[in-house]
Amino acid sequence: MKLSAPLLLALVACPLSSAFAPLPSLRNVAHEDKSLFRSEQSQQLQMGLLDNLLNSDNTKQKSSPNKPKVEVPPDFKIPEPQPLTLTESADLVDILKSSASLAFRLGTGAFVLGWKIDTLMAPDNDGKYALQLGPIRLRDSSSVLGDAPRPDQPLILYQYDASPYCKRVREMINLLDLKVEYRPCPGARGGKFSQQLLERTGRQTVPYLIDPNTGVEMFESSDQIEYLLNTYGPPEASFDRKALWPITFEAFSITTATFVALLRNMPGSKRQTNARPDNEDMEPLELWGYECSPFVRNVREKLDALCLPHVMVSCSRGSANRDKMVEKTGRFQVPFLVDKNTGIEMFEGPEIVDYLEAVYTVKE
């Protein structure tokens, strides 16, 4: 099906689209190290490229056993979701910067691999996601991921936001519609997760991928991309591999991702000074969204700055997880945060950032 330019732009630029289903009340509710096949020079570049730019300076209580206790401020109120709306606390300049970042990376990760339009006249109130554009109700999916293997357990990625090597792996994760736990390692060498990585591997190099489903662990972003494609991607004959060039063409992906990091002031490169010292010990939070969404980006950056482990549930266009969110919440809108440490579930990016700041920092 051919798409007009305005429709294609709307598809990329509307990450906060509602599913228009009834809205329920909100609730408070085996190691394989392929790096041996790469030169030490490449390993040093991956760990240190951005580090060299960063050396300047660095009420209710609910928690799992043996996990730190956290409290929600007594005056905290869950905001009402407002799809396709910039709330009063939203930073327009920040959204514009995030949108420019999306353009730099050619919208990579906005669509799942094999994205296709199923219908422009999806039925209303059938409990499934559809994008409403005037009289059009667009439903989309993937033509190739339906039969692709899915991991039983979330994969684990040691990473930090500004690293261009980590970014290309995160984008591939979105293309393949995977659920992955991110463990922030500010500047590759900061925080407890970085120390954990050193004890595990003898190195502080990111990204580092662990697949608990297969026992495979590896450094090197290019090797990780190939592993994800071969393990959780569709048969190679079912898609055009050339379509992956914004990720697989390393020189382009690293250069443009570095520009994005500089535009965003190197997010996640340093641990926030007032972050709770036990944040890395928290139960992983769950964030529904996708890498290039301008509305999700500030939440991801805050999670990284606070060194909070979080499971990213990919929700790119065509993702099967969009229907799952409609089933769970009655609507589709990103970002959507589920915090098992407090029982809070909430929409709205700026308010999520305020919530994280209130709960996971040390008060002076």
Side-chain angles (χ1 to χ4, degrees), residues 171 219 239 337 343 356:
E171 288 173 345
F219 291 101
F239 69 98
L337 182 76
L356 294 172

Side-chain angles (χ1 to χ4, degrees), residues 287-304:
L287 179 64
W288 297 61
Y290 52 104
E291 175 74 15
C292 68
S293 168
F295 298 93
V296 177
R297 174 168 280 279
N298 61 340
V299 178
R300 291 195 303 98
E301 291 177 354
K302 178 58 68 173
L303 288 167
D304 267 18

Side-chain angles (χ1 to χ4, degrees), residues 33-86:
D33 185 355
K34 295 189 178 180
S35 63
L36 297 175
F37 298 100
R38 290 188 170 261
S39 68
E40 184 63 28
Q41 183 179 7
S42 172
Q43 296 166 3
Q44 292 295 330
L45 176 63
Q46 178 162 322
M47 178 170 64
L49 174 67
L50 293 180
D51 286 341
N52 292 336
L53 300 174
L54 303 172
N55 284 338
S56 54
D57 281 1
N58 287 27
T59 224
K60 291 195 179 177
Q61 198 175 82
K62 205 170 188 180
S63 124
S64 302
N66 304 320
K67 293 291 181 181
K69 287 181 168 44
V70 290
E71 291 184 351
V72 178
D75 58 346
F76 173 76
K77 293 182 180 179
I78 296 177
E80 287 297 321
Q82 301 179 54
L84 300 175
T85 302
L86 290 178

